[in-house]
Amino acid sequence: MLILLPPSEGKATEGDGPSLDLAGLSLPEVNGVREAVLESLEALCSGPRERAVEVLGLSPGQAAAVDRNLALRTAPTLPAARLYTGVLYDNLRLGELLAGPAAARTRDSLLVFSGLWGAVGVDDALPPYRLSMGVKLPPLGALGTYWRSHLADPVAKRADGRLIVDCRSSSYAAAYRPSGEAADRTAAVRILKETVAGGEVKRSVVSHMAKATRGAIAHTLLREGRAPESPAELAEALNDLGHTAELTAPAKPGRPSTLDVVVRD
């Protein structure tokens, strides 16, 4: 099983490890692309500050991220497991997983997508940074589109023969889209909130709750050592573990299945 995750907008702001070493990151075959994105980000942040803030989609209170981006090559790093914070990672509880019997399984099963690094493992040493996948970074353009052609083969090799559990948001899903036989082994996780009003049951897609639920189901699968090999087995495993999971086959061949996880008030 390979679980694909987004990063978090919120990140730790200080590291305590050595400076960045691209050669030590997962998927080293994309290091040349990482260098190109890093150089483009440095060029942007070295120019007019107002322009960098605008392109990166920062609020005035987040402007310090421009300075952090300029120090990426020399700043102390920390493992991705500690760098990424926020609702999904609060519920994923990586510290607990990596300190217990599920540690090896967790390291092998998680791949975190990133606008700057493409995709990384939870042990990869990274400096604090700010660059969302949805950014159009001059001169590279939309990062989701830019990364897609470069990540297709490395991620496909990492996922070879494995169930792909896609917990990414739409902007990060743009950077890698399973196709062909890999799509048959992919379940795209969608979170639906179920409410009852006037005796009528309604379901709606949620965002904040989706992050928490995706983190929680990934934690449960890894903690319990479940190793489903197909989307149908994944739905069965999650139902066994106390979730409400419903699988929908793709509308067209070569597309992932959709796994709806239903949460209720």
Side-chain angles (χ1 to χ4, degrees):
M1 178 176 63
L2 183 65
I3 303 175
L4 309 183
L5 297 175
S8 59
E9 292 300 322
K11 299 177 181 68
T13 57
E14 294 184 0
D16 53 13
S19 58
L20 176 67
D21 177 15
L22 287 180
L25 302 185
S26 303
L27 307 183
E29 53 267 61
V30 299
N31 278 345
V33 188
R34 288 169 172 151
E35 181 64 36
V37 177
L38 179 55
E39 288 178 356
S40 297
L41 180 60
E42 289 171 329
L44 172 69
C45 293
S46 296
R49 192 178 187 86
E50 296 78 7
R51 172 64 173 159
V53 167
E54 177 186 5
V55 171
L56 296 176
L58 302 176
S59 68
Q62 297 169 328
V66 175
D67 298 321
R68 284 195 290 274
N69 284 346
L70 286 172
L72 291 173
R73 296 184 189 272
T74 58
T77 61
L78 68 168
R82 290 170 45 209
L83 173 65
Y84 296 119
T85 60
V87 175
L88 188 152
Y89 288 88
D90 286 345
N91 286 271
L92 179 56
R93 289 147 51 198
L94 276 173
E96 178 182 321
L97 292 171
L98 293 171
R105 181 165 56 247
T106 298
R107 291 185 172 95
D108 179 63
S109 299
L110 295 180
L111 198 60
V112 182
F113 280 70
S114 162
L116 179 53
W117 314 114
V120 296
V122 295
D123 283 335
D124 287 5
L126 305 173
Y129 70 96
R130 182 67 180 244
L131 183 63
S132 299
M133 190 68 80
V135 167
K136 294 181 179 179
L137 183 65
L140 305 180
L143 288 173
T145 302
Y146 182 75
W147 274 112
R148 191 181 309 154
S149 61
H150 300 291
L151 286 174
D153 287 343
V155 177
K157 290 177 184 177
R158 178 77 178 267
D160 187 30
R162 305 166 76 174
L163 168 68
I164 301 173
V165 184
D166 194 348
C167 291
R168 298 172 297 166
S169 53
S170 58
S171 61
Y172 290 91
Y176 169 70
R177 293 176 177 164
S179 60
E181 189 269 336
D184 295 337
R185 294 182 280 102
T186 299
V189 178
R190 183 173 65 172
I191 312 301
L192 299 179
K193 181 180 180 181
E194 185 175 277
T195 57
V196 179
E200 183 179 356
V201 177
K202 296 183 178 181
R203 290 180 174 180
S204 59
V205 177
V206 292
S207 56
H208 183 80
M209 188 180 294
K211 295 177 182 179
T213 305
R214 286 180 174 129
I217 63 175
H219 176 90
T220 302
L221 288 167
L222 294 167
R223 183 193 65 206
E224 298 298 324
R226 302 300 287 260
E229 297 182 356
S230 68
E233 290 183 11
L234 174 63
E236 181 180 356
L238 287 174
N239 282 308
D240 287 346
L241 292 167
H243 299 277
T244 299
E246 301 172 357
L247 187 68
T248 301
K252 296 180 180 180
R255 301 280 182 86
S257 300
T258 299
L259 183 71
D260 287 329
V261 178
V262 181
V263 294
R264 299 179 176 89
D265 287 337

